[in-house]
Amino acid sequence: MSRAEVTVLGAGAFGLSIAWVCVQRGARVRVIDPNGVAAGSSGGIVGALAPHTPENWNDKKQFQLESLLMAGRFWAEVEDASGMTAGYGRLGRVQPILDAAGLALANQRAEGARVLWGDAAEWRVDRAQGDWSPASPTGQVIFDTLSARVHPRQACFALAGAIEASGGEIVRDGAVEGAVVHATGVEGLAAMTAQHTRQVGNGVKGQAVLLAHEAHDLPQLYFDGLHVVPHADGTVAVGSTSERYFEAPASTDAQLDDVLARAVAGVPLLGGAKIIARWAGVRPRARSRAPMLGAHPFEDGAFVANGGFKIGFGVAPKVAEVMADLVLDGIDHIPPEFQAARCL
């Protein structure tokens, strides 16, 4: 490839999505990651693209809504260009309603969704039915039609394939040329913290388990703090823990056993499912708890996209759009609460 116009450091969800949109807009793009594609937390197994609740609306929730609504087209274009699957499916999500107070709140949020989501998606109260439903003391559940899923690792490799098929380059080592975007996850947050007087962000470990259970056309479930996500390949992912303090970032332990036990208690149908994989990784959490986007705070002329903790794949299409606007055209559509200054 001739001299790159954009160099993206990091081949996770944010870095690859930004690179893909820049390639689509005609830029010569090089992605550099010494560890390869999806080597960090973006190579996980859960992939729940779930919306914030439709209340107390703010720029962060609006940004996520727009991204979730972009996702179908975004991933279809990735799959068309790469010939690979990202595992995307917008099949909704079911949550149990535990008591009368929860029912009142669910109905209130249903009205909020009518106002805030309009005709784009629905949040409604339904009766619990069938085996694929978490235990609900009230016999009722919340069903929203906005939630979707991807298979994180497959999605990253599909993005990489789309970039390369369209003329971009993905390497483990190479020249850093043109506009530079730092999308380096936990390592990037640590590097910025080392250049500052306070913590810019930190890594939060998560553990998840992948089960052999065919439910590919069913909605994801959320209960007892767990995401249960059926994938298109005949597996179901369950996760995850949220560990700020840990010693072994890539190993699983009894905390994951507890996650699985709680999942089976909520959905007994999973009790006999074979465990295919146990996964652990460390996710980047910016100090502001929102993604950190825009001008890099410590490197003149460079850019940063980091801190996609728990919502990284869900906001990736919109992150890619606004970062490409900024990097390629100098147009800043990034919400103020996502600016790096909020973490400094």
Side-chain angles (χ1 to χ4, degrees):
M1 188 176 82
S2 58
R3 178 178 174 84
E5 295 171 306
V6 178
T7 298
V8 178
L9 303 177
F14 276 8
L16 292 169
S17 295
I18 293 165
W20 165 238
V21 173
C22 287
V23 166
Q24 283 185 299
R25 297 188 186 184
R28 295 188 300 276
V29 178
R30 175 176 296 130
V31 179
I32 303 175
D33 194 317
N35 300 308
V37 172
S41 60
S42 293
I45 58 176
V46 179
L49 313 185
H52 286 95
T53 53
E55 61 187 359
N56 300 322
W57 210 242
N58 55 32
D59 288 345
K60 179 180 178 180
K61 291 186 176 186
Q62 181 64 30
F63 187 97
Q64 188 204 39
L65 171 63
E66 292 174 11
S67 190
L68 291 173
L69 295 176
M70 293 168 59
R73 175 178 56 82
F74 179 89
W75 292 112
E77 291 174 353
V78 168
E79 292 181 342
D80 285 346
S82 67
M84 303 164 70
T85 181
Y88 176 81
R90 183 175 158 185
L91 299 172
R93 177 178 63 167
V94 175
Q95 305 176 67
I97 299 175
L98 303 183
D99 51 32
L103 178 59
L105 182 58
N107 284 316
Q108 179 181 323
R109 288 172 171 170
E111 179 57 33
R114 280 189 284 273
V115 173
L116 296 165
W117 296 356
D119 295 332
E122 186 179 8
W123 173 292
R124 66 176 185 259
V125 174
D126 283 342
R127 293 206 62 79
Q129 52 186 323
D131 293 333
W132 190 253
S133 183
S136 177
T138 64
Q140 295 183 292
V141 297
I142 300 160
F143 181 73
D144 81 79
T145 63
L146 184 54
S147 292
R149 57 135 198 257
V150 294
H151 189 296
R153 188 169 182 81
Q154 292 176 8
C156 284
F157 278 100
L159 278 165
I163 292 164
E164 293 181 321
S166 302
E169 183 179 65
I170 301 175
V171 295
R172 290 178 180 261
D173 186 31
V176 178
E177 301 170 333
V180 180
V181 180
H182 293 257
T184 48
V186 173
E187 292 180 2
L189 292 177
M192 285 186 282
T193 293
Q195 298 174 75
H196 193 42
T197 57
R198 67 190 304 181
Q199 190 176 60
V200 174
N202 61 281
V204 179
K205 180 179 176 180
Q207 300 184 45
V209 62
L210 192 66
L211 306 175
H213 182 81
E214 177 57 64
H216 72 276
D217 57 350
L218 296 176
Q220 63 186 270
L221 311 176
Y222 182 74
F223 61 92
D224 195 17
L226 302 177
H227 293 277
V228 177
V229 182
H231 287 301
D233 61 1
T235 63
V236 171
V238 182
S240 65
T241 63
S242 190
E243 306 164 46
R244 182 156 185 181
Y245 303 102
F246 51 88
E247 294 182 356
S251 66
T252 62
D253 56 32
Q255 295 180 79
L256 185 55
D257 296 333
D258 176 67
V259 164
L260 181 56
R262 286 156 51 205
V264 172
V267 185
L269 198 63
L270 297 175
K274 178 184 176 182
I275 297 175
I276 297 175
R278 296 165 66 95
W279 179 89
V282 182
R283 301 158 294 180
R285 177 187 179 276
R287 183 176 177 274
S288 68
R289 297 185 65 91
M292 179 193 295
L293 309 176
H296 195 289
F298 303 112
E299 186 172 326
D300 289 343
F303 305 91
V304 64
N306 207 324
F309 178 58
K310 291 189 176 182
I311 62 170
F313 279 94
V315 297
K318 186 70 174 177
V319 165
E321 178 183 75
V322 299
M323 288 298 295
D325 286 344
L326 182 62
V327 172
L328 299 179
D329 302 319
I331 300 171
D332 190 349
H333 291 143
I334 298 169
E337 65 182 285
F338 290 7
Q339 299 288 345
R342 288 179 61 88
C343 296
L344 303 182

